[in-house]
Amino acid sequence: MTELEIMGANAKAASKSLRIATDEAKADALFSIAEHLRSNAAFILGENSLDVKDARINGMSESMVDRLLLTEERISGMAQGVIAVSRWPDPVGKVLEEYDRPNGLHIKKVSVPLGVIGIIFESRPNVTSDCAALCIRAGNAVILRGGKEAYRSNAAIAKVMRQALSESELPEDCVQLVSDTTRQSAAEMMSLTRYLDVLIPRGGAGLIRNVVDNAKVPVIETGAGNCHIYVDKAADINMAADIVFNAKTSRPSVCNAAEKLLIHKDIADNALPVIAARLRHGNVELHGDAASKSIFGDMKTATDEDWGREYIDLIMGVKIVDSVEDAINHIETYSTHHSDCIISEDKSAAEKFMAGVDSAAVYWNASTRFTDGGEMGLGAEIGISTQKLHARGPMGVNQLVTYKYELTGSGQIR
Amino acid sequence: MTELEIMGANAKAASKSLRIATDEAKADALFSIAEHLRSNAAFILGENSLDVKDARINGMSESMVDRLLLTEERISGMAQGVIAVSRWPDPVGKVLEEYDRPNGLHIKKVSVPLGVIGIIFESRPNVTSDCAALCIRAGNAVILRGGKEAYRSNAAIAKVMRQALSESELPEDCVQLVSDTTRQSAAEMMSLTRYLDVLIPRGGAGLIRNVVDNAKVPVIETGAGNCHIYVDKAADINMAADIVFNAKTSRPSVCNAAEKLLIHKDIADNALPVIAARLRHGNVELHGDAASKSIFGDMKTATDEDWGREYIDLIMGVKIVDSVEDAINHIETYSTHHSDCIISEDKSAAEKFMAGVDSAAVYWNASTRFTDGGEMGLGAEIGISTQKLHARGPMGVNQLVTYKYELTGSGQIR
């Protein structure tokens, strides 16, 4: 057996204990993980410093080094995150439906864990504890496969978590980290259908595309957000400026940041100068179509390639549209179906937009930045699903379960 | 653009109308489809007779020809099936959750169609109308790709359905049939991520494996059922014999038929002769382990390969186990996680079994043959899901939807 097959078998065995573990056992184990993370901070920081040193020797940019870097404070944040997840209500064992059939068969539909979850992720080491905590809270064993640059940091965090688990009622194999960080191990995980119930990639567009295209294990696709804000002809211009500015600039590197601004032609002359000036003041580079540029000159020319792009940067595409229908059509053509917004005081336009745009989150008069487990009251999340199977939007603890049917009879035959 | 890309774009356009179609419009269109199937029976039968003639020339076995063959009665059955689906309550537009956040943001989680569903299926032509009806009822456009042998039958049914749709409020492109029945079109469908939201294979194990392994589009895996019945030491032996006989013999070719019989060692001497004699009387070939054979001699010797096999035939594997835990371990090792059953008068054994066996349907004292949309009160189904993402067990109309979040604010920013 390969390393991954052995880990798969271990995870499967651990998931059998986890599946029937009590709420308290899972919460206690998570609390213990948080304590161990805090008390072993020096060890984790030591290993992390080796990763950071190598990254600088290898010429990693300082912004990437910052993603890799752990500090006392960041480890404390990781521990706090684990504690918050430990307090989330147990999503397992909920009776979703219960009924009797005419033949007396009693049917119960009950929530159960997914089983074994594989996660392939890139550089941030905090993903190790964040994802492990969410998986355990929902009764799942997890196999983590992080990037090479963060391997010693991830291994230190995993070691500390397993130590905590070995002192808890749960098996330490609830959390395992793959030691092979080559492409080979990622490819093998994608084919590990015998042991993995689900595979979740966390990282850049390239990683996610690779996993979606090549995995035989069912995948939850997370991430890409080419999010739109459409300013309707009946918009409150000041509200529009506030929302667009917030959605674009408050954190341009995340998937719920707005990337495109669509403005109704009837309000463009009044609205665009206000909104665009505000964005330029915030150092946002604007890529406009011809109609936008004729109203506000301080823009680069948008090309066709702009409309499908997720900039993840202080850049925004701008386009004048003829109607709410035109806005919907543009969004349906180019959106990644993550989060899209209409700003309008006209209820019927808003309803048309929200019914017509087929995205995980559709907004009326609020910033797209709220598509986030915490902000939506769904707790910490493992990612934002942009596919339609299983879960859409924030994938929190409640989305890391499935269900089974329990059928009780007294000898019924068909 | 290829034929499939054009069909994909057409389906996407149709799905936009379908997404906002009323309950009545969808029900009326289905009713019209049923009427057209009935009134065009002669045309469909004519095309079917050409498929059947060619199949016989090509040496197709009569049991396979029977799957392909349509009759007046079978077409009437198809129409009745469509009408039953038309009467199922609309699963779209249900408010699943609704709440306000502390900042005043109002959040609604609403059920919506999946969008465009691709179905790759094998010879039975009734799949064309069955699947199309389920997809439309749940607001989805469908692209069907059937087998070569049934092409003229499928094309005739699709033509009649599209004719009915063209006279309804829904676009005719709600239903499309791929004319290319080569491997090439199946392969292209598996990569049609731009247009297909979900792909569902319907057919034999080879087809399903091929789609699961190669599709880039999210897949719902249906089908394989290596179903177990465990006769506990506290079983009612007569009940056990009735259930095992029913589960094995009532329809051995379907996925919810039982394939394996496990018997507790403490009851084997009494129970096995009764159950096995009953099965042999029903012409069931038994493949037993050494312990079973020493109790009931009229068995072939089971090999290791038997335990993982889905016979889909009048064959049953038999094994003596030491305990309920032993039964659970065996099932967890070999089951396809479709349907597994315990027969026992001991509640604690039954509870242990139902918690420990991780299958879509777990039974206590009833035949596994009830894992069926109709029997479980879930309506007609497109297949039985054996994966854990999205839906497990029968995939009826209610499982052919997803959800979206609608967030309404008054200028909230983050």
Side-chain angles (χ1 to χ4, degrees):
Chain A
M1 284 173 98
T2 66
E3 180 202 11
L4 261 166
E5 284 170 339
I6 293 167
M7 293 176 88
N10 293 343
K12 206 79 177 167
S15 78
K16 284 176 195 167
S17 308
L18 256 176
R19 195 197 300 157
I20 52 175
T22 62
D23 179 10
E24 207 184 356
K26 290 178 278 191
D28 285 354
L30 290 174
F31 192 79
S32 167
I33 284 175
E35 282 188 325
H36 277 71
L37 286 172
R38 280 206 179 102
S39 61
N40 289 281
F43 165 63
I44 297 168
L45 290 175
E47 295 295 302
N48 179 249
S49 70
L50 298 174
D51 280 337
V52 168
K53 195 178 148 196
D54 277 1
R56 288 202 169 114
I57 289 170
N58 294 327
M60 186 184 274
S61 71
E62 278 306 305
S63 72
M64 288 300 286
V65 168
D66 183 61
R67 289 177 164 224
L68 180 57
L69 185 73
L70 292 176
T71 60
E72 194 88 42
E73 203 183 348
R74 286 182 179 183
I75 291 177
S76 170
M78 286 159 57
Q80 275 167 34
V82 173
I83 286 177
V85 170
S86 79
R87 292 188 178 135
W88 193 261
D90 193 340
V92 170
K94 282 190 186 157
V95 178
L96 306 172
E97 286 172 38
E98 185 164 14
Y99 55 99
D100 289 302
R101 295 292 299 157
N103 64 359
L105 203 58
H106 183 75
I107 302 185
K108 242 166 99 169
K109 183 177 172 181
V110 189
S111 65
V112 296
L114 286 165
V116 181
I117 298 178
I119 297 178
I120 300 182
F121 63 104
E122 287 174 340
S123 62
R124 295 179 194 264
N126 63 303
V127 172
T128 311
S129 64
D130 290 356
C131 289
L134 290 165
C135 288
I136 291 173
R137 176 70 280 188
N140 301 291
V142 64
I143 298 179
L144 297 152
R145 191 273 190 196
K148 182 164 147 262
E149 319 70 38
Y151 179 69
R152 280 170 295 199
S153 314
N154 293 335
I157 294 164
K159 187 178 178 187
V160 168
M161 288 195 291
R162 284 170 61 88
Q163 180 64 36
L165 286 166
S166 74
E167 295 167 19
S168 80
E169 286 178 49
L170 304 182
E172 60 179 357
D173 285 336
C174 292
V175 177
Q176 296 178 90
L177 179 76
V178 181
S179 70
D180 176 1
T181 57
T182 64
R183 273 159 189 271
Q184 175 55 34
S185 70
E188 196 184 337
M189 264 179 104
M190 294 183 212
S191 295
L192 209 62
T193 48
R194 178 154 180 204
Y195 299 111
L196 293 183
D197 294 294
V198 186
L199 192 56
I200 305 177
R202 273 198 54 161
L207 168 70
I208 291 169
R209 198 67 251 153
N210 180 26
V211 173
V212 168
D213 283 356
N214 295 304
K216 301 185 202 304
V217 177
V219 170
I220 294 180
E221 183 170 353
T222 61
N226 181 23
C227 303
H228 297 73
I229 297 182
Y230 162 61
V231 178
D232 185 46
K233 68 175 171 185
D236 172 328
I237 293 177
N238 287 325
M239 185 197 284
D242 286 346
I243 289 177
V244 172
F245 185 78
N246 176 264
K248 179 68 255 180
T249 67
S250 58
R251 208 170 160 201
S253 65
V254 293
C255 59
N256 58 21
E259 302 286 16
K260 300 296 173 324
L261 170 64
L262 308 177
I263 304 193
H264 192 287
K265 63 176 168 45
D266 294 352
I267 201 175
D269 283 335
N270 292 324
L272 185 54
V274 177
I275 300 170
R278 184 87 175 273
L279 290 168
R280 290 295 298 130
H281 190 70
N283 288 317
V284 177
E285 180 178 300
L286 300 175
H287 295 193
D289 68 346
S292 307
K293 285 188 74 172
S294 75
I295 297 173
F296 188 85
D298 187 10
M299 292 187 186
K300 297 193 173 179
T301 302
T303 66
D304 275 355
E305 194 250 358
D306 270 281
W307 307 124
R309 244 181 97 187
E310 185 190 16
Y311 304 114
I312 330 181
D313 203 347
L314 281 177
I315 305 174
M316 188 164 221
V318 185
K319 190 179 197 295
I320 309 289
V321 295
D322 291 340
S323 61
V324 61
E325 289 80 9
D326 193 16
I328 293 170
N329 283 338
H330 180 92
I331 292 170
E332 285 294 286
T333 307
Y334 294 105
S335 174
T336 54
H337 306 292
H338 185 298
S339 301
D340 297 290
C341 171
I342 179 172
I343 301 179
S344 182
E345 299 298 305
D346 174 359
K347 194 175 176 211
S348 79
E351 285 172 349
K352 192 177 281 180
F353 182 92
M354 290 169 95
V357 171
D358 184 26
S359 296
V362 285
Y363 285 85
W364 176 20
N365 290 345
S367 169
T368 55
R369 293 275 291 108
F370 290 106
T371 306
D372 169 282
E375 295 295 326
M376 286 173 69
L378 305 170
E381 82 204 16
I382 213 155
I384 307 283
S385 162
T386 52
Q387 73 179 34
K388 292 184 182 171
L389 279 193
H390 192 71
R392 283 182 107 181
M395 293 270 313
V397 170
N398 293 359
Q399 281 70 46
L400 293 174
V401 295
T402 180
Y403 57 80
K404 79 204 263 189
Y405 290 99
E406 297 181 355
L407 299 95
T408 304
S410 49
Q412 280 82 351
I413 58 173
R414 184 171 171 193
Chain B
M1 282 172 100
T2 65
E3 180 202 13
L4 261 165
E5 283 170 338
I6 293 166
M7 292 176 89
N10 292 345
K12 205 78 178 169
S15 79
K16 284 177 195 168
S17 309
L18 256 176
R19 196 196 300 158
I20 51 175
T22 62
D23 179 11
E24 206 183 358
K26 290 178 280 191
D28 286 352
L30 290 174
F31 192 79
S32 166
I33 283 175
E35 282 187 324
H36 277 71
L37 286 172
R38 281 207 179 99
S39 59
N40 290 281
F43 164 63
I44 296 169
L45 289 174
E47 294 297 301
N48 179 249
S49 71
L50 299 174
D51 280 336
V52 168
K53 193 177 151 200
D54 279 0
R56 288 200 169 116
I57 289 170
N58 294 327
M60 187 185 273
S61 71
E62 277 307 305
S63 73
M64 289 299 287
V65 168
D66 184 61
R67 289 179 166 223
L68 179 57
L69 186 73
L70 291 176
T71 60
E72 194 89 43
E73 203 183 348
R74 286 183 179 182
I75 290 176
S76 170
M78 286 161 55
Q80 275 166 36
V82 173
I83 285 176
V85 171
S86 80
R87 292 187 178 138
W88 193 262
D90 193 341
V92 170
K94 281 190 186 157
V95 178
L96 307 172
E97 286 173 39
E98 185 162 15
Y99 54 99
D100 289 301
R101 295 293 297 158
N103 64 359
L105 204 57
H106 182 74
I107 302 184
K108 244 165 100 170
K109 183 178 173 181
V110 189
S111 65
V112 296
L114 286 165
V116 181
I117 298 178
I119 298 178
I120 300 182
F121 63 105
E122 287 173 341
S123 61
R124 295 179 192 266
N126 64 303
V127 172
T128 310
S129 63
D130 290 356
C131 289
L134 290 165
C135 289
I136 291 173
R137 178 68 281 188
N140 301 290
V142 64
I143 298 179
L144 297 152
R145 190 271 187 198
K148 182 165 146 263
E149 317 72 37
Y151 180 68
R152 278 168 295 198
S153 314
N154 294 335
I157 295 165
K159 187 179 178 185
V160 168
M161 288 195 291
R162 284 170 60 87
Q163 179 64 37
L165 285 166
S166 74
E167 296 167 19
S168 81
E169 285 177 49
L170 304 183
E172 62 179 355
D173 284 336
C174 292
V175 177
Q176 296 179 90
L177 179 76
V178 181
S179 70
D180 175 2
T181 57
T182 65
R183 274 160 188 269
Q184 175 55 33
S185 71
E188 195 184 339
M189 263 178 104
M190 294 183 213
S191 295
L192 209 61
T193 49
R194 179 155 180 204
Y195 299 111
L196 292 182
D197 294 295
V198 186
L199 191 58
I200 305 177
R202 275 198 53 161
L207 168 71
I208 290 168
R209 198 67 251 152
N210 180 26
V211 174
V212 168
D213 283 357
N214 295 306
K216 301 186 203 301
V217 176
V219 170
I220 293 179
E221 184 171 353
T222 60
N226 181 23
C227 304
H228 296 73
I229 296 183
Y230 162 61
V231 178
D232 186 45
K233 68 176 172 187
D236 173 327
I237 293 176
N238 288 325
M239 184 197 284
D242 287 346
I243 288 176
V244 172
F245 185 79
N246 175 264
K248 179 69 257 179
T249 67
S250 59
R251 208 170 160 200
S253 66
V254 293
C255 60
N256 58 20
E259 302 285 15
K260 300 297 172 328
L261 170 64
L262 308 177
I263 304 193
H264 193 286
K265 64 177 166 46
D266 294 354
I267 202 175
D269 283 335
N270 293 323
L272 184 52
V274 178
I275 301 170
R278 183 87 175 274
L279 290 168
R280 290 295 298 131
H281 190 70
N283 288 320
V284 177
E285 180 178 299
L286 300 175
H287 295 192
D289 68 346
S292 307
K293 286 189 72 173
S294 74
I295 296 172
F296 188 86
D298 187 11
M299 291 187 185
K300 296 194 173 179
T301 302
T303 65
D304 274 356
E305 194 248 358
D306 270 281
W307 308 125
R309 245 180 97 187
E310 186 190 17
Y311 304 113
I312 331 182
D313 202 347
L314 281 178
I315 306 173
M316 188 163 222
V318 185
K319 190 180 197 295
I320 309 290
V321 295
D322 292 339
S323 60
V324 61
E325 289 81 9
D326 195 15
I328 293 170
N329 284 337
H330 180 91
I331 292 170
E332 285 295 284
T333 306
Y334 295 105
S335 173
T336 53
H337 306 292
H338 185 298
S339 301
D340 298 289
C341 171
I342 179 173
I343 301 178
S344 182
E345 298 298 305
D346 175 359
K347 193 178 178 210
S348 78
E351 285 172 349
K352 193 176 281 180
F353 182 92
M354 290 169 93
V357 170
D358 184 26
S359 296
V362 285
Y363 285 84
W364 177 19
N365 290 345
S367 170
T368 54
R369 293 276 290 109
F370 291 106
T371 306
D372 169 282
E375 295 295 326
M376 288 174 67
L378 306 170
E381 80 203 21
I382 212 156
I384 307 283
S385 162
T386 53
Q387 72 180 34
K388 293 185 182 172
L389 279 191
H390 191 71
R392 282 182 109 180
M395 293 270 314
V397 170
N398 292 358
Q399 282 70 46
L400 293 175
V401 295
T402 181
Y403 58 80
K404 79 204 261 192
Y405 290 99
E406 297 181 355
L407 299 95
T408 304
S410 49
Q412 281 82 351
I413 58 172
R414 183 172 172 195

